[in-house]
Amino acid sequence: MYDTLQPELLTASETEKALMERHPTYVVSWDIFKDNQLPYLELRRPFILGLHEEDIWRPTIYHAFSKLLFDKQKLLRSYTQNIDGLDYKLSVPPQSIISCHGSLATIACEGCGAPMETNTFTNLIKTQIKDIYKTDPSAPASSTPIKCPSCSKPLVKPSTVLYGRNLPAEFHENAQSDASAANLLIVAGTSLTVYPAASLPEMAGGILSETTRLVVDRDKAAGYRASIDIKNNPKDIMLEGDCDSVFLDLIEEAGWLEDLTQYKDSLCESSKRLLDGRLLYLEAKGKN
Ligand SMILES: [Zn+2]
């Protein structure tokens, strides 16, 4: 996003555009948002509509694995650094998920905290925010701020954490006790370089800990880069591969493939194809 940011397309003053040019993260900072909500909303427009309205962004096998853990009462908590809201799409209840950097899944006012219904918000996005990506012909030609119905300030947005704002309190309220209570901590799809999420394996691991830490990553280096010393800790496990394949293997090993198929229609296309391929393979193998 930062590489492709085109400040000249956004509704902003010349000074704001110059700042975005120099520091692309400025577009998602409290500094600009408190004065001008539009660049953030224009940038996020297709992601907000794609998630809530058009159902373009769909969960993967990893998300389904997380839901299966919940269904089988084995999920203590899911911590995510992703803001895409996909962790919520298979109806894992919000109290079982901690979105460390906030999420596009819920909408609230940055000023007074009042929540807004996603339907109300997406309608306002459609009719009041222009489409800088030129994919929606029905979008308005220029943007109008979205005002909060409670405090009437133009500060309504998806609940992602802006630079310069505090991370959600739930992380610190739950991390230590969850890390101590977990039998297994699964670390997936992260280089473990961004805090506070990167501190979870440290909290859960260690010589005296009973917790097994499982790292799933495309390259082994991620596990070593992290504070997890997989090489020396016999309780820790590294599974190399992409998340979808590794979690499909785990689901199969656990005997949960049939449970997974009930979520197949909600999955993204590549996850669906992977699952179909696995089912066909097993069927053929069974016949032989
Ligand atoms: Zn408000």
Side-chain angles (χ1 to χ4, degrees), residues 10 13 15 37 46 91 101 152 155 164 176 194 198-199 203 229-230 242 246-247 250 268 276:
L10 302 167
S13 69
T15 316
Q37 171 203 40
S91 307
H101 303 161
S152 39
L155 295 175
Q176 191 62 63
V194 179
S199 62
M203 292 181 193
D229 192 356
I230 303 169
D242 67 72
V246 170
F247 286 103
L250 289 175
C268 66
D276 280 337

Side-chain angles (χ1 to χ4, degrees), residues 108-114 147-156:
C109 171
E110 282 280 332
C112 71
K147 288 194 175 144
C148 168
S150 296
C151 71
S152 39
K153 289 186 184 142
L155 295 175
V156 184

Side-chain angles (χ1 to χ4, degrees), residues 100-120:
C100 304
H101 303 161
S103 169
L104 291 173
T106 52
I107 316 298
C109 171
E110 282 280 332
C112 71
M116 185 184 268
E117 281 292 320
T118 51
N119 282 347
T120 313

Side-chain angles (χ1 to χ4, degrees), residues 206-207 213 223-224 226-238:
I207 309 278
R213 296 174 298 181
Y224 299 143
S227 54
I228 298 185
D229 192 356
I230 303 169
K231 283 175 292 190
N232 299 323
N233 195 334
K235 286 198 306 291
D236 294 338
I237 302 162
M238 167 92 205

Side-chain angles (χ1 to χ4, degrees), residues 68-87:
L68 290 174
L69 288 179
F70 173 78
D71 291 346
K72 294 170 186 302
Q73 299 180 318
K74 292 181 188 301
L75 181 69
L76 179 58
R77 203 91 61 191
S78 169
Y79 287 79
T80 179
Q81 296 181 100
N82 296 339
I83 58 162
D84 54 33
L86 294 180
D87 298 86

